[in-house]
Amino acid sequence: MIVNMAEGASEQEIEHVIDRIREAGFQAHVTRGETKTIVAAVGSNGRRHELEALKAAAGVEDVVTIATPFKLVNRQTKPHRTVVDVGGVRIGGGEFVVIAGPCSVESREQMLATAQAVKEAGAVMLRGGAYKPRTSPYDFQGLGLEALEILSAVRRETGMPVVTEVMSMEDIDLICEHADMLQVGARNMQNFALLRKLAVVNKPVLLKRGPSATVKEWLLAAEYLLAGGNSQVVLCERGIKTFETETRNTLDLAAVALARELSHLPVMADPSHGTGRRSLIAPLCRAAFALGADGVIIEVHPCPERALSDGAQSLDFKGFAETMQALYAPLPAIARALSASAQ
Ligand code: PEP
Ligand code: MN
């Protein structure tokens, strides 16, 4: 349940509500907006009727039941959209954020050349896997610590914040020393032990949707992070399993729009894993932009045919630059088409 405090409610009134929520056996999560404060009561063992009674407390506007199982992630719980700051890059603040880089960190030269090329073309953050979740144990598994050190060095050299995947609890501290944002990969979306650990880490998390997860399950995975204390969460749709075999996955753009409707968290799209085909990346970036996504994450490699992972879906530098140009090009075209049809 959430307690909406009235505009201008005093600190004392807010504190009183927090105390009463705790007395009733719930945790209290406070969100302070510019004019209004919302106090969410979460937990499964509390006495709900005691919360309902808070309707009569001073400074309380109303007490509302949140119908969804994800409480803190729900848009009702927070008056404004969450903006996640990753080393100065603001995700969810209205600008369309482009993160780019190779699937895997392979060498310092590969990473630096890619960082410089994607930055020049308009990307503001860098990606690159150090620990790779591979379907086959015989495939390249990532360079681990060596990759993290490369990411750190390239970040220092280019000024671009980096995101990299954390697969296992034991790597968290090390990855935190080198990265600005931690990715929870699709295969780990429901690794609840990992999510609980990441909830108490002071780093933003990019939470990918599991290939077979419903939107509700995805948002509940995010709820683990928020409930544990980490509200710096960005959701990322990366394609789901469907009957279609022409694409690697089916990028569920409706889920991007739905997640933004249901939640206050920023939502990005990953057309690289979402399609598995480099030719589809530009059109799906445009679609994600058009529907209001907060950004995209794209795989780029200096020489995709030599990539140690995900070459078929990686763009080369020229392809990435063209994708960035194509991202914004339709806007004047749409304006032209609309004004022509109005004549
Ligand atoms: C990746 O980003 O390279 C990756 C493995 O992503 P996902 O977890 O979405 O498959
Ligand atoms: Mn990949």
Side-chain angles (χ1 to χ4, degrees), residues 126-142:
L126 196 58
R127 60 151 289 145
Y131 300 90
K132 296 302 302 176
R134 303 306 302 278
T135 303
S136 163
Y138 308 117
D139 286 341
F140 177 63
Q141 304 285 310

Side-chain angles (χ1 to χ4, degrees), residues 103 127 132-133 165 183 185-187 208 238 270 273 299 310:
C103 179
R127 60 151 289 145
K132 296 302 302 176
E165 176 161 356
Q183 171 173 316
R187 292 156 191 81
K208 291 220 175 169
R238 48 76 72 202
D270 175 347
H273 296 89
E299 287 186 339
D310 285 352

Side-chain angles (χ1 to χ4, degrees), residues 60-256:
V60 171
E61 189 176 276
D62 57 9
V63 179
V64 187
T65 301
I66 301 187
T68 61
F70 44 90
K71 310 290 179 192
L72 300 173
V73 162
N74 193 306
R75 215 171 152 182
Q76 272 179 289
T77 309
K78 196 157 175 273
H80 305 291
R81 298 205 69 85
T82 291
V83 179
V84 176
D85 189 307
V86 187
V89 172
R90 287 162 53 82
I91 307 178
E95 276 182 30
F96 191 75
V97 169
V98 177
I99 306 176
C103 179
S104 301
V105 177
E106 297 169 9
S107 69
R108 188 182 140 84
E109 296 67 41
Q110 170 238 21
M111 211 55 225
L112 186 60
T114 307
Q116 285 164 340
V118 299
K119 186 177 180 182
E120 167 84 24
V124 291
M125 257 183 79
L126 196 58
R127 60 151 289 145
Y131 300 90
K132 296 302 302 176
R134 303 306 302 278
T135 303
S136 163
Y138 308 117
D139 286 341
F140 177 63
Q141 304 285 310
L143 296 180
L145 175 59
E146 188 188 342
L148 293 178
E149 287 168 351
I150 292 171
L151 283 172
S152 269
V154 171
R155 165 177 170 249
R156 269 196 306 279
E157 218 154 314
T158 61
M160 294 174 92
V162 303
V163 57
T164 195
E165 176 161 356
V166 52
M167 286 210 302
S168 148
M169 287 191 273
E170 72 228 25
D171 301 327
I172 294 176
D173 290 344
L174 192 58
I175 296 178
C176 282
E177 285 173 32
H178 296 277
D180 302 280
M181 184 181 219
L182 308 182
Q183 171 173 316
V184 174
R187 292 156 191 81
N188 262 322
M189 186 204 86
Q190 285 188 315
N191 181 340
F192 301 118
L194 181 65
L195 294 174
R196 280 189 201 281
K197 285 269 185 215
L198 293 175
V200 292
V201 158
N202 191 20
K203 287 276 180 190
V205 173
L206 183 69
L207 179 63
K208 291 220 175 169
R209 178 183 179 192
S212 305
T214 63
V215 169
K216 192 188 283 176
E217 287 163 343
W218 185 26
L219 297 180
L220 278 167
E223 185 81 10
Y224 269 84
L225 296 167
L226 271 69
N230 190 347
S231 53
Q232 296 284 288
V233 177
V234 176
L235 300 165
C236 181
E237 157 62 33
R238 48 76 72 202
I240 53 171
K241 296 233 182 265
T242 66
F243 54 79
E244 183 57 74
T245 53
E246 293 298 315
T247 48
R248 181 179 177 186
N249 291 292
T250 296
L251 189 68
D252 185 1
L253 290 174
V256 175

